[in-house]
Amino acid sequence: MTEHDSLSDQLGGVRGKRVLVRSDLNVPLDGTSITDDGRVRASVPTIAELADAGGRVVVLAHLGRPKGEPEERYSLRPVASRLGELLGREVAFATDTVGPSASSTVAGLQDGEVAVLENVRFNAGETSKDDDVRGAFADQLAQLGDCFVSDGFGVVHRKQASVYDVALRLPHAMGRLVATEIDVLRKLTVDPQRPYVVVLGGSKVSDKLGVIDNLLGKADRLLIGGGMVFTFLAAQGHEVGKSLLEDDQLDTVRGYLERAGQTGVEIVLPTDIVVDTEFPTGDREPQPHVVPADEMPADSLGLDIGPESAQAFADAIRSGKTVFWNGPMGVFETPAFAEGTRAVAQALTEIDGLSVVGGGDSAAAVRQLGFDEDAFGHISTGGGASLELLEGKELPGIAVLER
Ligand code: ADP
Ligand code: MG
């Protein structure tokens, strides 16, 4: 069996079976309204295929980072109803994950029907580091299904109950989304066309510094913007005011800068920064100022790369034959700090080669700024997972499917 066979064939037929599907429905919400439904849309093909084949589809997913117990603002209910709209069919919703509501909802499914269970992370077992605790929760999940399809690309780098442990307990298959993501991202790791340019930004600084280590041996140019840039500027001895900063990473970053010099990888840092005295909130009109990157005022924080840098980044991107971009260049949610991100996204649409966008917020930025998704080679639904694939790490949620 290969991924070219139908999911139903891969699972020995799904008609009448309860198929647990781990999807990634972790969308940004404003209250209960979804501000970007990209991940829900990306989950539809697998769910629709299984339902069309007569499966009784039970979707497992998480939303946000609840602390192992129910929290109303992280309920998947609004996401379940959006999924129903996109599928064009009724989607049942269970108000718990492995409790009485889940049992009766799953028992009530007919062939071809779909249910979403409440946020798996409302259960401490989902993300527990203790194999037994996680396993006990996976046992409960496994009782709700006859087989399992792993389609939550954004979580395949996590050893979590609904991603990893449940696959040990049920016959399983890789979903359409995960298969597509892996196909494209492997093109970046196996002999990418050169020049290979990587653009990194966003706010999860320490998460992303690790990938740099690996890219120093692979990419031709590494452009750094977003929150992590201030750790680089500080490592060079510059004032970064109140900007995002990882003090404990300064030595590591100095090491990267040295190694880049030795290996011939060009690290491109912004030369100008858009600053303000406060992080943007709804209550206050932003007061953006452009300052040289080596002269940031101590009472300010950096919220975007400046116009000169945006131009330089765009030129560097356009020189690439393979470009991977993860992480917005600034706080793009506020228009005053979105121009660096816009310039980078625009340049990716113009390259003559493979352009790949990774990361939930980066993908959301592309759409929010009005770009046509088809102008990019591939928009990945997973940030951390795509970075770990690039790093060449084994992803637990993928490895477990190959057993
Ligand atoms: P992704 O989801 O694409 O992997 P991240 O989650 O790492 O990206 O980061 C996205 C967030 O980074 C956005 O919400 C954006 O506002 C924030 N961000 C970008 N630049 C900065 C900055 N200079 N300071 C603070 N936050 C930033
Ligand atoms: Mg993010």
Side-chain angles (χ1 to χ4, degrees):
M1 288 284 158
T2 74
E3 66 188 52
H4 302 294
D5 293 298
S6 74
L7 289 170
S8 180
D9 284 350
Q10 291 178 52
L11 292 162
V14 295
R15 182 164 301 280
K17 286 188 192 162
R18 300 163 305 158
V19 189
L20 290 181
V21 179
R22 179 50 158 111
S23 299
D24 177 8
L25 304 178
N26 188 26
V27 290
L29 284 178
D30 185 3
T32 56
S33 68
I34 298 170
T35 53
D36 182 73
D37 68 358
R39 282 178 166 163
V40 187
R41 282 187 285 126
S43 302
V44 163
T46 293
I47 295 169
E49 181 182 333
L50 290 163
D52 286 344
R56 304 176 176 197
V57 182
V58 180
V59 180
L60 306 173
H62 76 282
L63 184 70
R65 297 191 171 198
K67 304 262 174 292
E69 53 185 66
E71 228 180 300
E72 189 51 36
R73 66 186 166 131
Y74 293 127
S75 173
L76 278 170
R77 189 187 284 281
V79 183
S81 67
R82 181 78 190 115
L83 177 64
E85 288 165 22
L86 291 165
L87 280 168
R89 56 182 107 198
E90 194 85 17
V91 167
F93 181 71
T95 56
D96 54 34
T97 321
V98 291
S101 175
S103 301
S104 64
T105 303
V106 173
L109 286 178
Q110 302 294 317
D111 295 0
E113 291 186 347
V114 179
V116 173
L117 307 185
E118 185 55 288
N119 196 334
V120 288
R121 291 191 187 167
F122 285 180
N123 307 271
E126 170 66 6
T127 58
S128 174
K129 297 280 177 252
D130 182 328
D131 289 349
D132 295 336
V133 176
R134 239 181 28 249
F137 180 54
D139 284 339
Q140 291 179 292
L141 289 173
Q143 281 180 6
L144 296 167
D146 301 304
C147 53
F148 173 66
V149 174
S150 179
D151 205 36
F153 180 69
V155 287
V156 288
H157 60 313
R158 304 289 188 204
K159 196 172 183 180
Q160 296 178 344
S162 69
V163 180
Y164 177 83
D165 304 82
V166 77
L168 296 173
R169 289 164 169 75
L170 292 173
H172 50 253
M174 183 185 287
R176 296 295 175 202
L177 176 63
V178 169
T180 306
E181 292 269 13
I182 288 180
D183 276 354
V184 177
L185 290 163
R186 290 232 162 110
K187 287 189 192 142
L188 301 179
T189 54
V190 182
D191 200 17
Q193 272 210 67
R194 296 186 179 279
Y196 176 24
V197 179
V198 176
V199 193
L200 293 176
S203 60
K204 295 179 192 161
V205 178
S206 37
D207 283 9
K208 294 185 185 184
L209 285 172
V211 74
I212 294 177
D213 199 18
N214 185 275
L215 287 169
L216 286 177
K218 297 215 170 98
D220 298 303
R221 288 202 185 89
L222 196 52
L223 319 187
I224 312 245
M228 81 174 75
V229 86
F230 304 103
T231 305
F232 280 78
L233 293 174
Q236 293 178 324
H238 302 308
E239 170 71 62
V240 296
K242 301 184 287 182
S243 306
L244 274 187
L245 175 65
E246 305 253 330
D247 274 316
D248 54 347
Q249 300 291 328
L250 287 170
D251 282 335
T252 311
V253 166
R254 277 187 206 105
Y256 292 158
L257 289 166
E258 266 170 40
R259 261 184 52 216
Q262 291 154 8
T263 56
V265 176
E266 188 188 354
I267 293 191
V268 183
L269 297 176
T271 50
D272 56 350
I273 302 285
V274 184
V275 300
D276 198 346
T277 51
E278 283 172 46
F279 195 87
T281 58
D283 315 334
R284 172 181 164 276
E285 195 57 34
Q287 290 169 11
H289 293 284
V290 178
V291 299
D294 53 3
E295 288 175 29
M296 288 182 60
D299 66 347
S300 70
L301 67 169
L303 297 165
D304 194 10
I305 59 172
E308 180 182 275
S309 312
Q311 180 71 50
F313 278 32
D315 289 344
I317 290 166
R318 280 190 292 255
S319 77
K321 283 262 182 244
T322 306
V323 181
F324 175 77
W325 166 39
N326 171 279
M329 295 294 100
V331 183
F332 73 93
E333 295 90 340
T334 301
F337 308 111
E339 289 310 306
T341 303
R342 184 190 303 283
V344 161
Q346 176 66 37
L348 257 89
T349 66
E350 292 167 9
I351 72 153
D352 172 22
L354 175 64
S355 61
V356 178
V357 183
D361 292 288
S362 308
V366 158
R367 292 186 281 261
Q368 197 174 307
L369 296 173
F371 288 94
D372 176 4
E373 289 174 73
D374 294 336
F376 300 86
H378 178 69
I379 300 183
S380 175
T381 54
S386 60
L387 290 174
E388 291 199 14
L389 263 183
L390 288 202
E391 285 179 60
K393 284 193 186 157
E394 181 181 271
L395 310 188
I398 301 296
V400 75
L401 301 178
E402 281 150 12
R403 293 162 58 132

